[in-house]
Amino acid sequence: MADQTSDPTRLLIVYYSRSGSVEKLASAAADAAREAGAAVRMRRTREVVDAAAMAKVDGWIDNAARQNALYEAPSHEDAEWADAILFGTPSYFGAMATELKTFLDLLGPQWKRGALAGKVGGAFAAASWPHGGSEVVTLSLYAPMAHLGMVILPTGYTDEAMLEAGSPYGASTIVGKENRPPRSEDLNAARHQGRRMVAIAGALIAAGEMPSRKAAD
């Protein structure tokens, strides 16, 4: 494993959250990764609609302002810094949030240079209903990760937490029409995913198979 004291594994969590449910999953994964010795950057993608559109949804403006005060917007530098990147999104009509898709669409320069190739990638999601698209949207994030040359890491059933929540593709939560916060089981799945990202990325670093670290040498 990588020496987590002198040169910790670097995890970037890029997420979008309107009501805060995905934020809570992201935070749980971040906390677990830090406990595992990783350096973590948690970043929230920004809105692509104006304030008038946001005002039509109760709490959207206030939630966005609160989260944006806590978390910077993700940058290209963040993506190149990371050894592993964990993407989080709500499911909107079975698709990822436009705000997250916009960040991915702007990674063209990194794709062209192969700057993200070999980094570990994972995904998690939230949906309103049990069949609201959380699994579909998690799997949809595998496609851009493949184009970027990332090592796609599903959660599988590699921990008892995954038998209680989420899916073998990634952590998830069902919020219902009340926008309920994630259950403790959902947060446990996110924590396992954070730890797993760090463990596998660290193993690749220790084996000399992390291209970004080779370039740094």
Side-chain angles (χ1 to χ4, degrees):
M1 298 293 289
D3 183 345
Q4 296 285 38
T5 302
S6 62
D7 194 10
T9 300
R10 301 188 290 257
L11 174 64
L12 171 65
I13 301 178
V14 180
Y15 82 97
Y16 180 72
S17 183
R18 184 182 292 180
S19 66
S21 298
V22 177
E23 175 196 10
K24 289 180 173 63
L25 292 178
S27 182
D31 288 346
R34 291 188 185 101
E35 289 170 4
V40 179
R41 293 183 184 179
M42 188 165 149
R43 302 290 191 251
R44 180 186 186 266
T45 57
R46 296 313 197 240
E47 274 68 27
V48 296
V49 298
D50 60 22
M54 294 170 65
K56 296 177 182 179
V57 178
D58 289 344
W60 189 354
I61 289 176
D62 290 342
N63 269 314
R66 177 187 61 77
Q67 292 180 74
N68 290 345
L70 291 171
Y71 312 111
E72 298 176 27
S75 67
H76 286 177
E77 189 276 329
D78 289 325
E80 296 197 33
W81 166 84
D83 301 311
I85 305 176
L86 187 53
F87 298 99
T89 181
S91 172
Y92 293 146
F93 303 109
M96 74 180 76
T98 302
E99 292 81 359
L100 181 61
K101 182 64 162 57
T102 298
F103 173 73
L104 289 166
D105 287 346
L106 294 175
L107 291 174
Q110 284 64 43
W111 166 80
K112 189 172 183 179
R113 291 189 287 107
L116 305 188
K119 296 177 185 287
V120 176
F124 60 95
S128 295
W129 315 110
H131 300 289
S134 59
E135 293 186 6
V136 171
V137 74
T138 301
L139 284 170
S140 76
L141 279 159
Y142 285 15
M145 286 190 274
H147 282 261
L148 291 164
M150 301 180 74
V151 177
I152 300 169
L153 183 66
T155 50
Y157 294 110
T158 53
D159 188 90
E160 288 188 4
M162 304 313 304
L163 300 175
E164 302 294 334
S167 75
Y169 318 117
S172 64
T173 189
I174 305 301
V175 301
K177 63 182 179 181
E178 306 91 354
N179 276 324
R180 297 186 301 268
R183 304 171 304 151
S184 60
E185 293 89 346
D186 303 329
L187 297 175
N188 285 338
R191 293 184 186 104
H192 170 63
Q193 189 165 18
R195 288 190 295 268
R196 181 166 165 79
M197 294 286 291
V198 172
I200 301 303
L204 289 172
I205 294 168
E209 295 296 332
M210 183 62 69
S212 58
R213 295 296 182 114
K214 291 179 182 179
D217 294 341

